[in-house]
């Protein structure tokens, strides 16, 4: 039901994002199909079969169904809860926890002091999440076989948690505390050879520029509201 993040700028369409929707769009896959068919004028002969017994307020846990990993790097339901924000970490030199048993729940790098990061994040009073200072050593991908300092995310209340806002706060804190070490990854990334990986994940260069400018997380968050309102209106018929 919730919407988070700015809408993708079509100039930044890529393999990881094709349509002008926010990262967290609040639509089922059937509703999204109908929205894209209508808003993009695709004209597909589309039929969506309703799911019996489903309600919009259901969480996965409340369905009683077993979690089947959606990806080798989403083995836990808790990883899915944080993914709509923590996927942005892929566009930086921070480890997003690939090579650990808890990808996207574990974030860090060798240059990070975990306790300093936890203290910095506490200033933002982020809702429904607790950060635990950790050290970890990825077995593959970024910082393979290097000990990293960082945080583990504990989502305390799924309904109140804001993964995208949380990811922006985390990245802003790391860049402020370790400006000489933090980096945006360079292309190529996911078949894109020109634009920065972070920009195509975020849907434009604006979020990166806001973080680089040192804008408060609250200011960044409020900048999305006009986009949210336009998107809510666009999705309403579907």
């Amino acid at each position: 039901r919730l919407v988070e993040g700015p809408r993708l700028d079509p100039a930044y369409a890529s393999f990881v994002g094709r349509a002008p929707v926010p990262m967290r769009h609040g639509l089922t896959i059937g509703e999204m199909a109908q929205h894209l068919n209508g808003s993009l004028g695709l004209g597909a002969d589309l039929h969506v079969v309703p799911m019996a017994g489903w309600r919009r307020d259901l969480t996965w846990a409340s369905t009683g169904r077993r979690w089947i990993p959606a990806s080798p790097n989403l083995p836990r339901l808790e990883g899915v809860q944080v993914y709509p924000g923590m996927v942005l970490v892929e566009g930086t030199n921070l480890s997003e926890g690939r090579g650990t048993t808890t990808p996207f729940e574990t974030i860090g790098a060798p240059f990070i002091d975990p306790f300093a990061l936890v203290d910095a994040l506490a200033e933002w009073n982020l809702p429904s999440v607790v950060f635990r200072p950790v050290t970890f050593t990825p077995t593959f991908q970024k910082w393979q076989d290097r000990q990293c300092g960082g945080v583990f995310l504990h989502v305390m209340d799924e309904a109140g948690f804001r993964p995208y806002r949380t990811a922006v706060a985390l990245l802003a804190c790391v860049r402020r505390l370790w400006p000489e070490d933090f980096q945006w990854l360079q292309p190529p990334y996911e078949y894109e050879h020109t634009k920065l990986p972070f920009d195509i994940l975020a849907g434009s260069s604006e979020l990166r520029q806001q973080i680089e400018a040192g804008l408060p997380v609250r200011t960044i968050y409020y900048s999305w509201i006009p986009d949210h309102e336009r998107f809510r209106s666009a999705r309403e018929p579907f």
Side-chain angles (χ1 to χ4, degrees):
R1 292 183 289 184
L2 297 168
V3 174
E4 265 199 293
R7 286 195 294 181
L8 179 143
D9 179 343
Y12 286 80
S14 71
F15 179 76
V16 297
R18 301 294 305 173
V21 301
M23 178 77 78
R24 195 176 183 193
H25 48 71
L27 295 172
T28 68
I29 197 70
E31 290 166 345
M32 178 60 83
Q34 292 174 320
H35 169 66
L36 297 180
N37 198 35
S39 64
L40 300 181
L42 302 180
D45 183 15
L46 176 65
H47 301 270
V48 176
V49 181
M51 186 188 302
W54 179 82
R55 302 190 315 274
R56 187 168 293 278
D57 62 342
L58 286 177
T59 62
W60 182 267
S62 64
T63 66
R65 308 281 295 186
R66 293 180 180 176
W67 172 249
I68 306 298
S71 156
N73 289 297
L74 288 173
R76 286 164 35 97
L77 178 59
E78 291 84 353
V80 176
Q81 293 170 355
V82 301
Y83 182 81
M86 294 304 141
V87 68
L88 292 173
V89 175
E90 289 191 12
T92 75
N93 67 336
L94 305 185
S95 168
E96 63 275 6
R98 294 176 189 267
T100 76
T101 58
T102 51
F104 300 102
E105 301 172 72
T106 304
I107 307 293
F111 56 83
I112 289 178
D113 176 342
F115 295 94
L117 181 54
V118 168
D119 288 344
L121 286 164
E123 299 173 13
W124 295 111
N125 295 314
L126 294 161
S128 305
V129 63
V130 171
F131 298 96
R132 175 163 53 92
V134 295
T135 58
F136 62 96
T137 303
T139 59
F140 58 84
Q141 291 218 359
K142 294 178 194 170
W143 305 114
Q144 180 178 350
D145 298 329
R146 294 277 305 276
Q147 180 171 287
C148 298
V151 294
F152 187 93
L153 284 77
H154 295 272
V155 177
M156 308 306 290
D157 171 36
E158 187 177 353
F161 178 55
R162 299 294 182 268
Y164 203 89
R165 187 195 313 185
T166 301
V168 171
L170 190 152
L171 293 172
C173 285
V174 172
R175 189 178 185 278
R176 174 168 59 86
L177 291 171
W178 297 280
E180 301 301 317
D181 299 295
F182 175 80
Q183 296 176 12
W184 309 107
L185 288 190
Q186 298 300 306
Y189 172 78
E190 297 289 10
Y191 313 107
E192 169 61 48
H193 294 270
T194 304
K195 297 180 178 67
L196 290 181
F198 186 87
D199 291 356
I200 63 171
L201 285 165
S204 79
S205 62
E206 183 176 15
L207 177 57
R208 174 176 53 83
Q209 292 167 352
Q210 289 171 323
I211 293 173
E212 289 175 342
L215 294 182
V217 176
R218 190 174 295 103
T219 301
I220 297 174
Y221 183 79
Y222 287 144
S223 74
W224 306 333
I225 291 178
D227 247 2
H228 289 179
E229 296 306 318
R230 286 190 289 268
F231 178 68
R232 284 193 181 97
S233 297
R235 75 175 187 173
E236 188 61 32
F238 309 103

